[in-house]
Amino acid sequence: MSPDLLMLSLLGAPLFNGLAPLQLKVLALTAERVRFADGEALISGGDAGDAAYLIVSGEVGVDLDGEEAGERAMLPPGTLVGELAMLIETEHTSTVRAEGSVNALKFSRQMMHELMQRYPGMAEHFTQKIRARLERMAESLREIDSMLDIGDEAATRTSERQAMH
């Protein structure tokens, strides 16, 4: 994997976007380079996670729960899968498999914790990114809740009208 390709992959991942050039270089040099064969699982649903994988080349498929057997969502190079596992203890909810040959960078939780201790700005960056995501998710949930309240009010009015007639 060429250094340029590694840096482009890191820059394309939203969680890493905005890190200082030195921090990106440290991530590229520290991450383990791994290769997966066609059909090999990067992540298995139900397993405890301890690392994330940045897809550098190739594609991966995510098994969709509740869908017909074999149906998958395809993810291109530049995608970071299992990202929470590199930061906190978590259980993977989906299985991610290589579709053809895949080259990736592996970010273990232990490695990331060591880097964040060494580079506190990196820890702050991840905290801000995750906080912003949680705030967007909370806003989306508030919007959905508001729509549901409007729907409930309309249903109540309709029921009251029907009861009067």
Side-chain angles (χ1 to χ4, degrees):
M1 292 184 245
S2 76
D4 289 342
L5 182 57
L6 296 180
M7 291 303 281
L8 285 173
S9 298
L10 286 165
L11 287 168
L15 188 63
F16 297 139
N17 194 330
L19 283 172
L22 174 63
Q23 294 168 330
L24 290 169
K25 186 175 182 178
V26 167
L27 282 172
L29 294 172
T30 309
E32 180 183 350
R33 284 138 182 82
V34 293
R35 173 170 279 168
F36 296 92
D38 185 34
E40 190 176 354
L42 287 72
I43 291 173
S44 296
D47 285 356
D50 68 346
Y53 298 89
L54 178 62
I55 309 308
V56 176
S57 65
E59 283 188 326
V60 297
V62 179
D63 293 341
L64 300 173
D65 293 333
E67 298 293 328
E68 292 182 28
E71 196 163 338
R72 295 180 157 169
M74 300 304 295
L75 303 174
T79 302
L80 184 64
V81 295
E83 64 186 22
L84 278 182
M86 73 180 188
L87 300 172
I88 61 170
E89 289 185 27
T90 187
E91 184 178 296
H92 295 299
T93 57
S94 300
T95 297
V96 178
R97 294 186 188 282
E99 296 286 331
S101 180
V102 170
N103 290 305
L105 292 177
K106 179 180 179 181
F107 301 96
S108 72
R109 185 177 321 123
Q110 179 181 345
M111 179 201 84
M112 293 302 292
H113 284 187
E114 288 170 6
L115 288 177
M116 289 187 292
Q117 286 177 341
R118 194 174 313 147
Y119 302 98
M122 192 180 285
E124 184 178 323
H125 170 85
F126 292 136
T127 300
Q128 289 173 353
K129 288 282 189 172
I130 292 169
R131 180 182 300 126
R133 271 194 206 163
L134 289 172
E135 288 170 355
R136 286 191 303 271
M137 185 186 310
E139 180 59 31
S140 294
L141 290 172
R142 282 190 291 273
E143 289 173 10
I144 291 169
D145 191 41
S146 176
M147 286 187 277
L148 291 174
D149 285 345
I150 291 169
D152 287 346
E153 290 172 12
T156 300
R157 285 193 302 271
T158 300
S159 294
E160 289 171 353
R161 283 188 208 126
Q162 289 173 347
M164 289 180 173
H165 294 291

